[in-house]
């Protein structure tokens, strides 16, 4: 079973974040510039929330007028749900599905070490299943082993 650590080893551990006092306008620009779906929100470098594209869209839909110059902390989701490096893809998929979230920070021993998205999990699951199918086909056909 694949783990979060294996996803991050392939994907990388870069996490885009913004301080809670930054504006929504700045956050939207970061999301767009980096082509990402969520920002980790920090206070003094400590993770305190997450701001996703979904958070922005929902907030805009709630009001006839929304200022984009309010702090990120006004729109972020908090507290954050997170996983550790040893979580399996199934555990991540279950958490994301049941909580209706698309991004999970990865925290190990109290330290932020990465972020995964539902896309990362699905991609890894598909690759893992494709490899299993390939191995089973080789086993059944008697090719690929002992040669």
């Amino acid at each position: 079973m694949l783990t979060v650590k294996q996803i991050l080893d392939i994907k990388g551990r870069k996490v885009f974040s913004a301080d809670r006092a930054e504006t929504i306008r700045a956050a939207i620009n970061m999301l767009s510039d980096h082509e990402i779906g969520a920002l980790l929100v920090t206070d003094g470098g400590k993770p305190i929330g997450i701001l996703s594209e979904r958070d922005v869209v929902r907030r805009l839909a709630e009001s006839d007028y929304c200022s984009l110059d309010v702090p990120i902390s006004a729109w972020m989701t908090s507290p954050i749900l997170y996983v550790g490096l040893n979580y399996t893809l199934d555990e991540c998929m279950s958490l994301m599905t049941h909580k209706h979230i698309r991004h999970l920070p990865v925290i190990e021993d109290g330290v932020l070490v990465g972020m995964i998205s539902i896309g990362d999990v699905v991609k890894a699951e598909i690759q893992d299943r494709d490899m299993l199918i390939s191995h089973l086909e080789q086993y059944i056909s008697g090719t690929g082993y002992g040669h």
Side-chain angles (χ1 to χ4, degrees), residues 117-131:
S117 70
I118 190 73
D120 299 328
V121 174
V122 169
K123 180 180 175 184
E125 281 282 353
I126 289 169
Q127 289 173 340
D128 190 43
R129 294 216 169 107
D130 285 349
M131 188 182 326

Side-chain angles (χ1 to χ4, degrees), residues 4 17-18 23 37 50 59-60 62 80 82 84 87 92 94 99 117:
V4 170
S17 64
T23 66
I50 194 164
R59 186 65 131 189
L60 290 171
E62 289 174 356
I80 55 175
Y82 61 89
Y87 273 62
C92 294
S94 178
K99 297 296 184 176
S117 70

Side-chain angles (χ1 to χ4, degrees), residues 1-8 85-89:
M1 178 64 51
L2 290 175
T3 64
V4 170
K5 180 185 181 312
Q6 291 166 306
I7 291 176
L8 291 179
L85 290 172
N86 292 324
Y87 273 62
T88 66
L89 297 189

Side-chain angles (χ1 to χ4, degrees), residues 12-66:
R13 295 172 184 248
K14 176 113 175 109
V15 177
F16 292 95
S17 64
D19 187 83
R20 69 181 293 139
E22 288 286 334
T23 66
I24 293 296
R25 183 179 312 277
I28 290 170
N29 286 329
M30 284 184 73
L31 292 169
S32 177
D33 291 347
H34 298 292
E35 299 179 354
I36 55 175
L39 285 173
L40 193 66
V41 182
T42 61
D43 184 11
K46 179 183 176 220
I48 60 162
I50 194 164
L51 181 77
S52 69
E53 293 169 325
R54 182 185 283 180
D55 293 326
V56 173
V57 169
R58 283 186 176 159
R59 186 65 131 189
L60 290 171
E62 289 174 356
S63 178
D64 293 333
Y65 172 78
C66 287

Side-chain angles (χ1 to χ4, degrees), residues 77-98:
T77 298
S78 183
I80 55 175
L81 297 175
Y82 61 89
V83 294
L85 290 172
N86 292 324
Y87 273 62
T88 66
L89 297 189
D90 286 344
E91 290 171 321
C92 294
M93 184 75 74
S94 178
L95 180 60
M96 291 172 146
T97 301
H98 288 96

